[in-house]
């Protein structure tokens, strides 16, 4: 008898459809890491830039703005 507990994995998000979860829309795929559509889009500079622009429009920038305080030191 197994006493192992299941740990919930975080839901993968689709890099092609920003803000949406990976729905495994391609046959024999386990997530974005082995999706042929993601591979093709991310391998093309123009398509990747288009996805990046869409992601910024939908999700917005994820990083906080950079500090420009000259007295602030980073480690």
């Amino acid at each position: 008898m197994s006493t192992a507990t299941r740990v919930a994995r975080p839901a993968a998000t689709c890099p092609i459809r920003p803000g949406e979860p990976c729905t495994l829309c391609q046959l024999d795929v386990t997530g974005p890491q082995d999706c042929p559509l993601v591979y093709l889009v991310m391998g093309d500079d123009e398509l990747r830039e288009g996805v990046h622009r869409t992601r910024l429009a939908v999700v917005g920038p994820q990083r906080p703005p950079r500090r420009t305080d000259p007295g602030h030191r980073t480690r």
Side-chain angles (χ1 to χ4, degrees), residues 25-73:
C25 59
Q26 298 287 321
L27 203 55
D28 296 328
V29 199
T30 59
Q33 69 276 4
D34 62 352
C35 176
L37 179 61
V38 171
Y39 174 78
L40 290 173
V41 169
M42 295 304 171
D44 183 278
D45 293 336
E46 289 181 39
L47 290 175
R48 185 175 57 244
E49 179 61 29
V51 168
H52 178 68
R53 284 192 307 268
T54 303
R55 183 178 304 128
L56 289 177
V58 171
V59 179
Q62 295 293 318
R63 296 183 193 166
R66 291 184 119 184
R67 290 185 62 146
T68 57
D69 181 12
H72 178 71
R73 290 183 9 186

Side-chain angles (χ1 to χ4, degrees), residues 3-14:
T3 59
T5 59
R6 287 192 163 199
V7 177
R9 287 193 276 170
T13 58
C14 180

